[in-house]
Amino acid sequence: MSRDGLFLSRREMLIGASAAGVVGSLAGPLGSPAFARAPMLDTQAPYFYRFKVGDAQGTIVSDGTLPLGDPRKNFTGLSEEEIQRQLHDNFLPSDNAVLEQNVLVLNTGDRLVLFDTGMGSLRLFGPTTGKLMNSLKQAGIDPKDIDAVVMSHAHIDHCGGCMADDGTRNFPNAEYYITQADYEFWTDETKVPAQFKVFLDTAVKNLTPNRDRIKFIKDGEEFLPGIHAILAPGHTVGHTIFMINSGNSSLCYIADLAHHPVLLLEKPLTEFMYDTDPKQSAQSRMKMLSMLAANRTPILAYHFAWPGIGHVAKQGDGFRYHPQGMKMEL
């Protein structure tokens, strides 16, 4: 073939073939234009994850993300430059510390135990919280089947989901477990600082209607089979973590021993603005994390990135969190 009486060069033929291929790839059936018809989707996977702890089955459900805002206003004792460095080195945003709320439901075979209850309908940190009841439904867990509600402490994001706004119990057949120190502190207007009035109101709303069902837990007590209380005060006066043992396996639910997997681990004496006694909280954090690291005990952290299961290891003067990959086969 020729163009204007000249034969096409090999290069011109290749260019022509390439162009024809591009045009063909943009055409639909019978040469019609092709367009992406699938809509953008705005849904995520259900907010639950199941796993085994020895002979028991754990399900983590979520009350939703809890954005704290500027890390510099929430974590004290570090320079602005140090906070920026830690966040940058760990690929985390510097303008907003976003926490998870990883609620554990433990099925021991004899009991169904819920650890902490989220924020309820309170929107103090925005509209992303308050998902617990829906997450339970997604996970196939009926709130009426919950036998025990175990609370690590009486802050709004841990006791806020015990009661519905209409005054009914979200977990009508459950007994409730918390330390006496936390119950008496957060339901007493003479003890709760004025700037934390919403904490007082939330505790009164959710705890006092259940007073006749509450059993106070003590440090070191095995208050439910296979579940031991370990007092770790400072974040609140009675803040408690829980060691769960089943078969040959253990898991420590560390609750609010550390809210952030970097800022409160790399330099664990850093203080957090919502601590009742920041210095005592830091000492509890050092002591408990040292024990968990030395024993290589798996942890579940309420506020770490979903689903919050992993290990802590010593790193310099502090610790490093190693998240455990999710196993989708039971």
Side-chain angles (χ1 to χ4, degrees):
M1 297 292 293
S2 66
R3 184 181 61 192
D4 297 329
L6 299 175
F7 285 99
L8 294 177
S9 70
R10 183 172 181 274
R11 178 173 178 275
E12 289 172 320
M13 291 176 66
L14 290 173
I15 292 174
S18 176
V22 170
V23 172
S25 70
L26 295 176
L30 303 178
S32 63
F35 299 98
R37 298 289 186 185
M40 295 288 186
L41 303 178
D42 60 358
T43 55
Q44 285 283 20
Y47 221 163
F48 72 89
Y49 171 64
R50 282 193 236 284
F51 64 105
K52 296 289 287 184
V53 184
D55 300 323
Q57 183 185 73
T59 303
I60 301 173
V61 295
S62 178
D63 194 53
T65 56
L66 198 160
L68 286 180
D70 188 348
R72 288 165 284 271
K73 296 179 180 179
N74 292 283
F75 302 91
T76 60
L78 296 174
S79 68
E80 186 169 330
E81 293 74 21
E82 176 64 19
I83 290 178
Q84 177 65 28
R85 181 197 67 77
Q86 289 190 33
L87 295 174
H88 178 269
D89 288 354
N90 287 275
F91 301 92
L92 294 171
S94 61
D95 60 341
N96 190 12
V98 179
L99 310 182
E100 285 282 355
Q101 295 181 97
N102 304 314
V103 178
L104 172 64
V105 183
L106 185 72
N107 190 334
T108 67
D110 296 320
R111 290 178 175 82
L112 198 60
V113 184
L114 176 76
F115 291 81
D116 290 326
T117 67
M119 294 274 290
S121 62
L122 193 62
R123 296 294 180 265
L124 184 64
F125 295 96
T128 58
T129 61
K131 292 180 165 57
L132 177 60
M133 301 309 288
N134 187 57
S135 297
L136 286 169
K137 181 180 179 180
Q138 289 178 331
I141 297 172
D142 189 333
K144 294 184 180 67
D145 292 336
I146 299 293
D147 298 299
V149 174
V150 177
M151 287 168 283
S152 58
H153 60 297
H155 272 181
I156 53 176
D157 53 329
H158 294 262
C159 77
C162 292
M163 301 294 293
D165 286 343
D166 63 3
T168 60
R169 294 182 175 92
N170 281 331
F171 312 102
N173 299 312
E175 293 182 319
Y176 298 79
Y177 296 82
I178 195 170
T179 61
Q180 185 171 355
D182 247 46
Y183 179 90
E184 292 181 350
F185 183 94
W186 292 102
T187 58
D188 187 342
E189 63 182 2
T190 68
K191 295 178 180 177
V192 178
Q195 66 268 32
F196 291 113
K197 185 177 185 302
V198 66
F199 287 66
L200 168 72
D201 294 342
T202 301
V204 168
K205 171 187 173 182
N206 287 277
L207 297 181
T208 55
N210 294 301
R211 177 62 189 89
D212 61 334
R213 297 179 175 214
I214 289 178
K215 295 186 176 181
F216 293 132
I217 54 180
K218 297 180 173 59
D219 183 29
E221 178 186 8
E222 184 179 11
F223 60 95
L224 288 170
I227 304 175
H228 287 80
I230 304 173
L231 187 65
H235 180 54
T236 63
V237 292
H239 177 261
T240 302
I241 66 177
F242 302 97
M243 189 67 74
I244 299 164
N245 298 290
S246 177
N248 295 321
S249 298
S250 298
L251 174 73
C252 187
Y253 170 53
I254 68 169
D256 283 9
L257 190 67
H259 291 75
H260 198 279
V262 175
L263 296 176
L264 289 176
L265 262 66
E266 188 171 323
K267 294 185 180 298
L269 295 181
T270 302
E271 298 177 3
F272 183 60
M273 71 167 294
Y274 291 103
D275 288 340
T276 300
D277 186 334
K279 291 188 170 24
Q280 185 185 41
S281 180
Q283 291 302 319
S284 288
R285 184 160 47 250
M286 282 291 299
K287 177 182 177 181
M288 297 301 168
L289 291 181
S290 295
M291 173 192 71
L292 295 167
N295 294 335
R296 300 176 65 87
T297 304
I299 68 165
L300 169 57
Y302 187 73
H303 287 302
F304 288 8
W306 173 261
I309 304 174
H311 288 82
V312 287
K314 285 290 293 179
Q315 178 177 277
D317 295 330
F319 304 89
R320 183 171 183 83
Y321 173 60
H322 296 270
Q324 178 177 298
M326 290 191 290
K327 182 181 178 183
M328 303 313 293
E329 301 81 22
L330 286 173

